[in-house]
Amino acid sequence: MSSQINIRAAKVCDVDGIEALLTPYAQKKIVLQRSKDDVFQHLQEFIVAEYNGIVVGTVALHVYASHIAEIRSLVVNPDYQDMKIGYSLLEECEKKAIQLGIDQVFALTYVDQFFLRMGYGVVLKETLPHKIWTVCIHCDKFSACDEIAVVKHLSL
Ligand SMILES: CC(C)(COP(=O)(O)OP(=O)(O)OC[C@H]1O[C@@H](n2cnc3c(N)ncnc32)[C@H](O)[C@@H]1OP(=O)(O)O)[C@@H](O)C(=O)NCCC(=O)NCCS
């Protein structure tokens, strides 16, 4: 099946699919809710995994500063998990960061083991740029965030 999975930059026609992928996980507070408007406005940040014309996975790269960007909105459709799609999306996101000249990516996550397998290390949230809290403030768990911060240094 993996040969039929296409990892590519998101297009406007993917917005409904991206929102549909994220919504169930946003309802479980695993990722932040992204409205269609929000996805449209940040479309250039998104990468998708497509299988037979269906968007089965997505991830976004949000740049904060010259040296650091966040891996956001990483989700794979449950029917397509454990097929290395998450790995491929993350790898593509890291390539995108390198192309942009960014040497450090981070994520706030509950699946720290997934990121550790991909070469990330756990860090204290306090070491992340303060700017990230401008997004976190929209999260219900802002005052009691229990996500784990993971960081990877990229070779430019
Ligand atoms: C996390 C997620 C994106 C992984 O996608 P996936 O396509 O199933 O993962 P892959 O098949 O690429 O797995 C790559 C490796 O990570 C491991 N892995 C996958 N999901 C994992 C998880 N939830 N916890 C720990 N390890 C995990 C796999 O076993 C595999 O390891 P291996 O190479 O030793 O076999 C997917 O499970 C998902 O959408 N989860 C719900 C949303 C979520 O938590 N997103 C992360 C937000 S930061």
Side-chain angles (χ1 to χ4, degrees):
M1 177 183 277
S2 61
S3 60
Q4 294 159 298
I5 299 281
N6 183 19
I7 307 287
R8 58 166 175 78
K11 303 178 194 175
V12 286
C13 59
D14 301 319
V15 170
D16 285 352
I18 292 172
E19 194 213 19
L21 273 173
L22 292 174
T23 297
Y25 289 109
Q27 286 167 347
K28 291 180 200 160
K29 316 282 184 210
I30 292 173
V31 295
L32 275 182
Q33 181 74 56
R34 313 284 306 254
S35 66
K36 276 185 201 164
D37 272 354
D38 183 26
V39 177
F40 271 121
Q41 285 165 25
H42 296 92
L43 194 60
Q44 286 138 306
E45 297 183 358
F46 278 87
I47 292 165
V48 295
E50 183 188 48
Y51 176 70
N52 280 350
I54 300 166
V55 175
V56 297
T58 193
V59 67
L61 182 78
H62 183 78
V63 179
Y64 276 104
S66 60
H67 66 291
I68 193 158
E70 181 180 6
I71 308 277
R72 279 187 187 171
S73 304
L74 173 62
V75 161
V76 174
N77 177 322
D79 293 341
Y80 294 85
Q81 288 181 7
D82 297 323
M83 295 175 180
K84 305 287 178 200
I85 296 175
Y87 173 80
S88 302
L89 284 166
L90 191 54
E91 198 178 51
E92 196 60 29
C93 213
E94 291 171 6
K95 274 190 209 159
K96 185 173 177 165
I98 290 168
Q99 282 162 5
L100 291 169
I102 290 160
D103 64 4
Q104 203 180 345
V105 284
F106 74 92
L108 289 165
T109 188
Y110 295 110
V111 290
D112 50 314
Q113 293 302 319
F114 167 80
F115 281 94
L116 295 185
R117 275 184 162 88
M118 306 304 172
Y120 287 69
V122 174
V123 295
L124 289 173
K125 282 193 272 278
E126 293 70 25
T127 62
L128 297 175
H130 290 159
K131 276 187 198 170
I132 71 163
W133 308 119
T134 59
V135 174
C136 293
I137 205 162
H138 300 295
C139 177
D140 294 346
K141 295 183 181 172
F142 176 59
S143 57
C145 175
D146 54 354
E147 289 187 302
I148 297 158
V150 290
V151 165
K152 184 173 180 177
H153 294 272
L154 306 172
S155 304
L156 294 182

